[in-house]
């Protein structure tokens, strides 16, 4: 499985990665800039990647973590989210029904809803699956001018992280975020400051797997789905009944006129 290693010590907050993501996904740059200012973390249906300011001197890229056991995939009722060949979590809009269960299941709160669309669906980073299929690396990793984003096989990324630790003693916290948390993610982080503000658990605390976090919601899904189905069926029956009554009244009126 492949992924990305984000080195927070190299990120300057320039958002070149965001601009590359907007271009690659054919998003509206004006709306992307608007959402940066209006959405708390900057992520939206117009902005799949953002940069979070951790403190006065630290920044970090934020997007889909492409978890090894993604809760969004388990929660999706229709198979609209799947794990791709490269370990990236892919999204199929032709299957999506806009139920938003994936949003509830994600511990990082990544998927975003198209609130402004007439027929809304979910949007998120897919790690540039089209580029991966062509042997290219994700647009954000290619665009970063400071080499803060490294793409490669997960094992290679972990090796590179440990190599940077050994070559730069005292520069980093000796921890790879995503190596074990939430049963592992394919987007990994190394940093000299804690990353709680990105949604990671505090250091040296137990982190349950994503299935553990989503178990309650997944158990409730059949009941929620059944309730929605019952509501839709009831509404459909009411509409049909009203149409039958209207047609009946129309026939009665015509019969009265003929007499």
């Amino acid at each position: 499985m492949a992924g990305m290693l984000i080195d927070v010590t190299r990120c300057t907050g320039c958002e070149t990665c965001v601009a590359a993501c907007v271009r690659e996904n054919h998003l509206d740059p004006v709306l992307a800039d608007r959402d940066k200012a209006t959405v708390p973390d900057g992520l939206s249906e117009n902005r799949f990647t953002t940069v979070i300011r951790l403190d006065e001197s630290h920044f970090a890229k934020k997007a889909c973590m492409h978890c090894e056991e993604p809760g969004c995939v388990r929660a999706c009722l229709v198979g609209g989210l799947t794990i791709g060949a490269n370990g990236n979590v892919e999204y199929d809009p032709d299957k999506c029904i806009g139920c938003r269960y994936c949003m509830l299941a994600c511990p990082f709160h990544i998927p975003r809803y198209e609130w402004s669309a007439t027929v809304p669906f979910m949007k998120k980073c897919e790690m540039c699956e089209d580029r991966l299929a062509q042997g290219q690396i994700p647009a954000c990793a290619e665009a970063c001018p400071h080499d803060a984003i490294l793409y490669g096989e997960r094992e290679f990324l972990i090796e590179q992280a440990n190599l940077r630790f050994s070559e730069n003693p005292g520069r980093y916290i000796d921890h790879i975020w995503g190596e074990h948390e939430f049963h592992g993610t394919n987007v990994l982080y190394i940093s000299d400051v804690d990353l709680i503000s990105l949604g990671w658990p505090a250091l040296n605390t137990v982190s349950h797997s994503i299935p553990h976090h989503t178990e309650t919601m997944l158990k409730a899904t059949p009941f929620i789905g059944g309730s929605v189905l019952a509501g839709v069926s009831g509404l459909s029956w009411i509409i049909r009944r009203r149409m039958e009554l209207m047609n009946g009244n129309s026939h009665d009126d015509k019969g009265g006129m003929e007499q």
Side-chain angles (χ1 to χ4, degrees):
M1 294 297 182
M4 292 187 286
L5 175 65
I6 313 297
D7 189 335
V8 174
T9 70
R10 298 187 182 189
C11 181
T12 65
C14 68
E15 294 205 349
T16 302
C17 58
V18 178
C21 177
V22 168
R23 287 194 302 271
E24 181 66 26
N25 289 285
H26 309 292
L27 303 174
D28 188 326
V30 175
L31 294 179
D33 287 342
R34 179 204 65 185
D35 292 345
K36 173 188 176 182
T38 57
V39 180
D41 65 0
L43 288 178
S44 72
E45 70 269 28
N46 306 302
R47 190 177 168 95
F48 302 165
T49 296
T50 190
V51 174
I52 300 295
R53 189 183 189 101
L54 303 176
D55 57 33
E56 291 186 358
S57 59
H58 290 86
F59 302 87
K61 175 184 180 295
K62 180 179 180 180
C64 179
M65 302 299 179
H66 298 282
C67 306
E68 295 207 294
E69 293 188 10
C72 60
V73 172
R74 297 187 76 231
C76 184
L77 300 171
V78 293
L81 289 160
T82 55
I83 301 176
N86 295 288
N88 57 312
V89 178
E90 299 177 352
Y91 168 66
D92 187 346
D94 293 331
K95 294 181 179 179
C96 180
I97 59 175
C99 67
R100 290 179 282 172
Y101 290 156
C102 56
M103 296 174 66
L104 296 174
C106 177
F108 297 102
H109 311 293
I110 297 297
R112 299 301 156 105
Y113 198 56
E114 292 182 292
W115 294 105
S116 59
T118 304
V119 182
F121 293 108
M122 184 276 297
K123 296 289 185 180
K124 76 168 195 69
C125 157
E126 296 182 76
M127 206 185 290
C128 296
E129 60 174 324
D130 292 337
R131 292 175 63 91
L132 297 182
Q134 297 171 16
Q136 299 175 301
I137 67 175
C140 61
E142 183 178 78
C144 182
H146 306 292
D147 295 324
I149 309 170
L150 177 65
Y151 178 80
E153 291 296 317
R154 191 172 188 272
E155 293 78 8
F156 168 74
L157 297 178
I158 293 173
E159 290 176 0
Q160 288 299 303
N162 287 315
L163 180 62
R164 293 185 189 184
F165 293 164
S166 61
E167 290 182 345
N168 302 276
R171 181 176 184 179
Y172 298 93
I173 295 174
D174 188 12
H175 184 80
I176 304 173
W177 280 265
E179 183 178 8
H180 302 296
E181 289 93 345
F182 301 114
H183 214 278
T185 60
N186 287 315
V187 176
L188 307 167
Y189 287 80
I190 53 176
S191 172
D192 56 345
V193 294
D194 207 342
L195 300 181
I196 295 177
S197 57
L198 281 179
W200 297 103
L203 290 173
N204 302 317
T205 59
V206 176
S207 171
H208 294 294
S209 65
I210 288 177
H212 173 89
H213 285 273
T214 59
E215 183 178 2
T216 301
M217 195 272 302
L218 291 173
K219 286 181 177 179
T221 295
F223 301 100
I224 297 172
S227 298
V228 172
L229 180 60
V232 171
S233 300
L235 181 60
S236 177
W237 181 87
I238 292 172
I239 292 173
R240 287 200 307 270
R241 182 57 178 161
R242 285 182 176 177
M243 291 179 68
E244 290 172 357
L245 292 174
M246 289 175 65
N247 290 334
N249 291 336
S250 177
H251 291 319
D252 291 343
D253 292 342
K254 288 180 179 180
M257 291 176 65
E258 291 176 356
Q259 292 177 359

